[in-house]
Structure formats: C-alpha cells, structure tokens
Amino acid sequence: KAGVTQTPRYLIKTRGQQVTLSCSPISGHRSVSWYQQTPGQGLQFLFEYFSETQRNKGNFPGRFSGRQFSNSRSEMNVSTLELGDSALYLCASGPGQGNEKLFFGSGTQLSVL
Amino acid sequence: EDQVTQSPEALRLQEGESSSLNCSYTVSGLRGLFWYRQDPGKGPEFLFTLYSAGEEKEKERLKATLTKKESFLHITAPKPEDSATYLCAVYPGGYNKLIFGAGTRLAVHP
C-alpha cells in the first residue's frame, strides 16, 4: 500500500508570495490533516478535512487555507507569505473515524526569504 | 488548556543502556495517547496508541505505558538505529486534532 505522498518536497519563496502544497492520502483514507512543524513551536495542527469538508481548524491566521477534492487529495495554500511561515508542513491521513492513528507524509520544507 | 510536556529534551545513551522517556499531559478528556518516532527529514512514524490508564504496549525494544497523568516510553538495550526524535501526542477531542509534545531527541552511541 502506497504511503502518504506530499509534493513538492522543497520550496523556496519570497515574502508576499503565495504557495500551494499538495497531499495524496493513503488509498481508502478519507481524512487529511495538516500540521506545521518548526524548531520553536514543534508540531501544530492547522486543519482537518473529511469528504471535502473542513471539520476542525487550529489557531492559524486566515492566510492559511485548504481544501479537499472528491478523490480525498488535499491542497493547502498560504497567501502573503511571511518569514515566520518557514517550516516543515506535514500532511497526515486516516480513515476519518476520529481519534485514530494518523499516517504522515515526509512533508514539504518551505523556506521564505 | 490542553498541554503535553516531554522530558528530557535530549538523551544520550550507550548501546545497551536502557532508559525511559516521559510524557506528561493535561487534557480535559483523554481520547488516546500516541507515540511517534521521527527521523531527520521525515514525517512522524506511528509507534503506539494507549487509551486507558494501566494499558501497556510493546514492540521490539520499546514498551509504552500509561497512567492518568503521564506516559512512559521504555527503551530496553537500545541500538544505534533507535536514534531519533520520539514524539508524544494526545487527542483532547475534535477530529484528528493531535496535540504534540516538543519531543525527546534520543542518540544511541555504539
């Protein structure tokens, strides 16, 4: 069974630009969650999607948004990038029952210059 | 406020030297405690799930235990390949919203 696939692996952007990250969950999984990982704050929850609907959202500004498609693939968008947005963005998939173990991708390393 | 605290921040062991990592948590209603392993440049890899106090899980050299306030990850006779960051996380409620601790960086030297 293929794992969680995230693209691209690395991104370099400048302040003010926007970026879109992609995540393909494990086949059959309908829930996709996004997390931000930084050395200072650790892993922080961004949002979760199930069947194209956002069910849960973390404490991030509105510049962070996401969506899920009918095939469960998900995208995350960050607009008007700031230096502090530099981080490893991780996608996790699960069946969607809630409170279940999650399977993480290798992440997208975003650097904002 | 829901919170997860892991200690120590970093741990250096000699190969074969057993030790324990601690995860203390404060949540309104625990709906699962998870241990993950993360290698540099990779995403977290699932190790264990614990749901109720007194529960224990084992896998190779690792054993996870849970009380009402904390969880321990015991590493018996570690090998260099056990070197990684070990993350503890809890579900306080809400779909798939894990609260993570800062992790323990483990280095096992031959």
Side-chain angles (χ1 to χ4, degrees), chain A residues 35 45 99-100 102, chain B residues 1-6 23-36 48-51 66-71 87-101:
Chain A
Y35 289 80
F45 174 80
N99 307 332
E100 63 215 3
L102 300 181
Chain B
E1 184 187 346
D2 300 321
Q3 198 168 351
V4 177
T5 304
Q6 292 188 247
C23 169
S24 62
Y25 60 90
T26 305
V27 293
S28 52
L30 182 67
R31 291 171 177 80
L33 184 142
F34 296 75
W35 282 98
Y36 283 87
F48 302 108
T49 308
L50 301 165
Y51 287 105
L66 180 66
T67 71
K68 288 184 178 180
K69 298 284 188 185
E70 58 191 350
S71 177
L87 297 163
C88 171
V90 298
Y91 273 132
Y95 285 106
N96 293 355
K97 178 184 177 179
L98 281 168
I99 308 295
F100 279 89

Side-chain angles (χ1 to χ4, degrees), chain A residues 81-102:
Chain A
L81 284 166
E82 300 178 359
L83 295 178
D85 296 334
S86 295
L88 179 67
Y89 290 89
L90 291 159
C91 165
S93 82
Q97 309 304 312
N99 307 332
E100 63 215 3
K101 69 181 180 185
L102 300 181

Side-chain angles (χ1 to χ4, degrees), chain A residues 60-106:
Chain A
F60 279 82
R63 300 185 297 105
F64 292 81
S65 63
R67 59 178 176 168
Q68 187 180 35
F69 303 95
S70 58
N71 62 357
S72 294
R73 190 177 70 85
S74 177
E75 287 182 347
M76 185 192 121
N77 184 274
V78 187
S79 62
T80 319
L81 284 166
E82 300 178 359
L83 295 178
D85 296 334
S86 295
L88 179 67
Y89 290 89
L90 291 159
C91 165
S93 82
Q97 309 304 312
N99 307 332
E100 63 215 3
K101 69 181 180 185
L102 300 181
F103 297 85
F104 285 83
S106 293

Side-chain angles (χ1 to χ4, degrees), chain A residues 11-15 17-20 81 110-113:
Chain A
L11 265 178
I12 300 175
K13 294 286 186 179
T14 56
R15 278 182 300 174
Q17 288 187 309
Q18 75 165 16
V19 67
T20 299
L81 284 166
L110 173 64
S111 297
V112 182
L113 307 178

Side-chain angles (χ1 to χ4, degrees), chain A residues 26-47:
Chain A
I26 290 171
S27 177
H29 283 182
R30 296 168 65 190
S31 168
V32 174
S33 308
W34 288 89
Y35 289 80
Q36 181 195 65
Q37 187 174 30
T38 60
Q41 298 297 317
L43 271 150
Q44 293 187 292
F45 174 80
L46 281 156
F47 29 66

